[in-house]
DNA sequence: CTGAAAGCGCTAACAG
DNA sequence: CTGTTAGCGCTTTCAG
C-alpha cells in the first residue's frame, strides 16, 4: 500500500513554462484564447511534470463536480440476484465516462441509510443523482427533492405533486405485457395466468395492467401476486396449479419468476410449452437463455435505459429540456415521451417456452 | 430537475451562533475543545441553517477525500452475468459507509479505459483504490502503482515485484477445490473431471491446482479448459463426454459453468448425481439453489471479501498494518494471512448434485 | 492575448 | 478555550 505523493500544481507548470497560472489554466481547460507558441510550451510542461488538476480546488471555485450519484434503494437482496442492476450501471457508466463524469455509488440498506443519502446529496458533492428502485411509500424521493439536486429516476415514480413531473426513464411495461399476453392468445391459449411482481413498484403494476388490458374479463383466480424472485415464482405457480389446474399459459412478471414457475411445472409433470406456455420479462440473458426450455420473454434494453438516464441528467444540467436530450438520444427510439418521462419500447423475444 | 441552490457556509453558521468560523469548524468535526454552552449554540445554528460542510473546500486543505475508488476491469460481459460482482460491491459499500467514505465506481471496457482510470487515480481524487478482476498480462496494476494510490486487490494478483507484495483479499481457491474433489472421491467416484475457468486469472489456476493436488495422477484428458460461463460449461462438458464417456464426476470452476455442464448432461440422458456427480464453486444462491438438481458447491463469502478489502484499505490508510486490520476483522476467520494477502476460508455446501 | 489579483469554503497553526 | 490569520490549488474578472 503505497503512500500518496504530492502532485505538481498549476503554479509549478506555470513556472516551468514561463507563463502565468492563468495561462496554464486556460490551456488545460480547452486552450482557447492562448496563442500557439505558448500553448504548446504549456502542454509540454504539463506532460513533463505529469500534471493533473486538483479537482477539489477546481470544484471549490466552479461549483461543479463532474460527478453524479447513483442511488440504489433496494432493501431486499433482489438487486443482487438479478443482473438487471449491473447492466443498468454499465450503461450509466459508459455515458458518464464519455462526458468525463464520475459515478458515485450510494447503496442503501433500508430506511436507516436514507438520511445519510439525503445529507450527501444535499451537501452538494455531486451535480446530479440517478435514483432507482423506488417503492410506493418510499420517503427517499421527498428527501431528494428537498436536497435540491437535479435528479432522474429509473422507472416511473408513483407519486406526483403539484410541480412539474419528475424526470424518469422507463420501459413500456404495459405495452410489453400486452404483447406477451396477445402472443399467448395467438397461440390459442385461453386459461392465461399472470404471476405479478411486487405490487408496490410501478413496473409490476404496469405489467399487471397490460395483462388486464388483454384479459380483462378473465378468471381473477388466474392472477397471483408474487415478488420477482424464483422462490416467489415457485410458490405462485404452486398456488396457480392448485386453484386452476386447467391453466395453459403463464405470463410471469420477470424472468426470475418464470424460472421458478418452470421448475414447478416440471415437478408437476406439465410440459412447457405443450401443456403450459410460459413468458417472462426482462430478457436477462444468462437467465432466459439458460432456462429449461429457453424462455420466450419481453426484452427491455436495460443498458440503454441506464445510458439514457445519464444522458438526460447531463443534458438537463446544461439547461436543455429532457425532450431535447431525448431527441439526441441515439440507439433505441423511445416509444413515448410524455411530460418529463421517457419510455423505451420493448420487444418480444421468441424462444422455446411459448 | 430542480436547480441546485447555494448552501450556507461556515461563515453563516458562525455569524448566526455569534462565534468564529474556527469554533464552528471544531464543533462540526468532533466538537472537542469547545465548551458546552457554545457548542450547543453552534449545533443549533447548524441545524437551523441546514448547514452541510463543503467537501471540496475541506479536501483542499486536508488532502483527504473520504472517498475510495472501486475499479472493475472486466472487458468481458461476465461480471454482468454473475451476481458475484454485486455482492462484492455490497460488502464494500457497507464497510465504506460505516466509515463515512464514498464509493466511486470506475468500470472499464477494455484497455482504452486504462489511461483514464490511471489518470483519475493519479489525480488524487480518492484516498485509495479497490481493484478487481485482474488478468495475467493486465497493464492496469502497473499504472496504478505508478499512480501512487494505496490499493487493495480483490483476488491474488499474479505478478510480484521486488517491493513488498501487493495487499489483497482472496478465497482459499486451492483448498476449496481440494475439498470438493475429495468429496467426490469419498463418493466413490474415480473418473473425476475438472472444467477450468479462464486460466489467466489466479482463481482459475488455483482451483486447477487444488484439483491436481488430489487427482495428480489422473487422466489428463479429464481436464478441459473453459471460461466461467454457462456456454463455456456446455462446450466443455460436450468435449468431456466425447473424450471420456466414462466420466462419473465433474468439478466445475464456478456455478455458472456447472450450470452449463448440468444442461448438457441432461441432454445426454446422464442422471445427476447418479451417473455423474457435479460440484460448482461460489455458491451464488440464485444459480446454485435454482439449478436442476440444486448444486453442491464450494461456498466463498463474497460479501465478506468485499467488506474486508475496504477494511484493509481504510485501516492501512490509518497507518496500521494489514495484519492489524485483519486481527480486527470480525466474522469469517481468515484461513491464512501470509505477507500482505488475506485468504478467506471456503466451505463445501452439500445439495443434491453430488 | 496574457498577467495580476481576488477569492471559493474550509482547516490548522498560532496567539491571546 | 476561542478567535485571528494564513493559505490549500484553482478559475475568473479585470487591467494592460
Amino acid at each position: 500500500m503505497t503512500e500518496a505523493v504530492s502532485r505538481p500544481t498549476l503554479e509549478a507548470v506555470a513556472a516551468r513554462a514561463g507563463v502565468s497560472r492563468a495561462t496554464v489554466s486556460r490551456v488545460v481547460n480547452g486552450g482557447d484564447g492562448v496563442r500557439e507558441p505558448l500553448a504548446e510550451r504549456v502542454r509540454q510542461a504539463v506532460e513533463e511534470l505529469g500534471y493533473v488538476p486538483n479537482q477539489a480546488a477546481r470544484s471549490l471555485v466552479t461549483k461543479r463536480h463532474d460527478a453524479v450519484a447513483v442511488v440504489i434503494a433496494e432493501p431486499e437482496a433482489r438487486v443482487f440476484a438479478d443482473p438487471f442492476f449491473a447492466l443498468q450501471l454499465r450503461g450509466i457508466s459508459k455515458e458518464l465516462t464519455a462526458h468525463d463524469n464520475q459515478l458515485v455509488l450510494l447503496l442503501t440498506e433500508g430506511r436507516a441509510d436514507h438520511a445519510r443519502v439525503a445529507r450527501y446529496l444535499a451537501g452538494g458533492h455531486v451535480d446530479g443523482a440517478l435514483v432507482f428502485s423506488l417503492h410506493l411509500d418510499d420517503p427517499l424521493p421527498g428527501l431528494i427533492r428537498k436536497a435540491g439536486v437535479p435528479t432522474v429516476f429509473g422507472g416511473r415514480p408513483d407519486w406526483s405533486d403539484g410541480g412539474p413531473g419528475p424526470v424518469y426513464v422507463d420501459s413500456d411495461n404495459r405495452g410489453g405485457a400486452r404483447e406477451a399476453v396477445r402472443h399467448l392468445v395467438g397461440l390459442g391459449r385461453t386459461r392465461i395466468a399472470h404471476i405479478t411482481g411486487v405490487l408496490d413498484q410501478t413496473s409490476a403494476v404496469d405489467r399487471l395492467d397490460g395483462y388486464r388490458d388483454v384479459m380483462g374479463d378473465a378468471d381473477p383466480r388466474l392472477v397471483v401476486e408474487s415478488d420477482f424472485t424464483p422462490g416467489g415464482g415457485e410458490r405462485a405457480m404452486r398456488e396457480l396449479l392448485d386453484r386452476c389446474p386447467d391453466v395453459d399459459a403463464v405470463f410471469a412478471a420477470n424472468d426470475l419468476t418464470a424460472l421458478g414457475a418452470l421448475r414447478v411445472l416440471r415437478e408437476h409433470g406439465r410440459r412447457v410449452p405443450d401443456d403450459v406456455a410460459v413468458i417472462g420479462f426482462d430478457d436477462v440473458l444468462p437467465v432466459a437463455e439458460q432456462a429449461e426450455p429457453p424462455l420466450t420473454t419481453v426484452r427491455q434494453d436495460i443498458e440503454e435505459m441506464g445510458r439514457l438516464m445519464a444522458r438526460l441528467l447531463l443534458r438537463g444540467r446544461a439547461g436543455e429540456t429532457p425532450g431535447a436530450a431525448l431527441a439526441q438520444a441515439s440507439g433505441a427510439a423511445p416509444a413515448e415521451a410524455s411530460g418529463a418521462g421517457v419510455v423505451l419500447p420493448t420487444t418480444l423475444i421468441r424462444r422455446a417456452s411459448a
Side-chain angles (χ1 to χ4, degrees), chain A residues 175-223:
Chain A
R178 272 195 301 252
E179 194 181 352
V181 179
R182 282 206 197 101
H183 175 70
L184 259 10
V185 170
L187 255 29
R189 311 289 167 147
T190 54
R191 297 289 287 168
I192 304 174
H194 178 42
I195 303 180
T196 76
V198 184
L199 289 177
D200 71 346
Q201 296 193 222
T202 57
S203 60
V205 173
D206 291 351
R207 290 171 201 180
L208 172 56
D209 285 345
Y211 166 84
R212 287 201 172 126
D213 286 344
V214 182
M215 303 291 294
D217 51 350
D219 185 342
R221 288 174 313 160
L222 283 168
V223 173

Side-chain angles (χ1 to χ4, degrees), chain A residues 32-247:
Chain A
D32 24 281
V34 180
R35 232 169 267 166
E36 215 13 276
L38 264 202
E40 183 51 34
R41 228 165 62 219
V42 171
R43 272 183 232 110
Q44 199 138 113
V46 166
E47 182 68 24
E48 289 167 4
L49 265 42
Y51 170 75
V52 182
N54 178 322
Q55 188 62 39
R58 180 180 279 177
S59 293
L60 189 53
V61 34
T62 61
K63 269 109 168 52
R64 300 190 55 238
H65 303 262
D66 294 318
V68 168
V70 172
V71 182
I72 302 192
E74 188 62 65
E76 292 126 279
R78 184 172 84 81
V79 215
F80 298 102
D82 204 325
F84 196 95
F85 150 76
L87 281 170
Q88 195 110 249
L89 262 188
R90 200 234 278 267
I92 291 172
S93 166
K94 277 185 178 164
E95 187 68 22
L96 253 26
T97 293
H99 294 277
D100 259 302
N101 267 268
Q102 295 311 323
L103 192 173
V104 178
L105 189 63
L106 268 28
L107 258 29
T108 72
E109 309 272 343
R111 302 283 156 102
D113 287 342
H114 283 5
R116 171 178 61 86
V117 168
R119 201 173 344 113
Y120 183 77
L121 259 24
H125 301 300
V126 290
D127 301 322
L130 264 18
V131 181
F132 287 101
S133 294
L134 260 18
H135 294 254
L136 247 178
D137 53 346
D138 202 317
L140 201 53
L143 291 173
I144 290 175
R145 195 138 33 101
K146 231 180 303 176
V149 184
T151 302
V152 174
F153 293 92
R156 180 169 60 80
D158 53 358
W159 87 93
S160 66
D161 51 7
V167 179
Y168 68 87
V169 173
D170 203 354
S171 274
D172 183 11
N173 290 305
R174 188 162 182 168
R178 272 195 301 252
E179 194 181 352
V181 179
R182 282 206 197 101
H183 175 70
L184 259 10
V185 170
L187 255 29
R189 311 289 167 147
T190 54
R191 297 289 287 168
I192 304 174
H194 178 42
I195 303 180
T196 76
V198 184
L199 289 177
D200 71 346
Q201 296 193 222
T202 57
S203 60
V205 173
D206 291 351
R207 290 171 201 180
L208 172 56
D209 285 345
Y211 166 84
R212 287 201 172 126
D213 286 344
V214 182
M215 303 291 294
D217 51 350
D219 185 342
R221 288 174 313 160
L222 283 168
V223 173
V224 23
E225 201 169 332
S226 186
D227 60 4
F228 282 132
T229 70
E234 290 187 16
R235 278 188 295 279
M237 192 67 232
R238 282 212 179 83
E239 188 168 342
L240 216 38
L241 249 18
D242 197 49
R243 303 210 286 223
C244 313
D246 61 340
V247 58

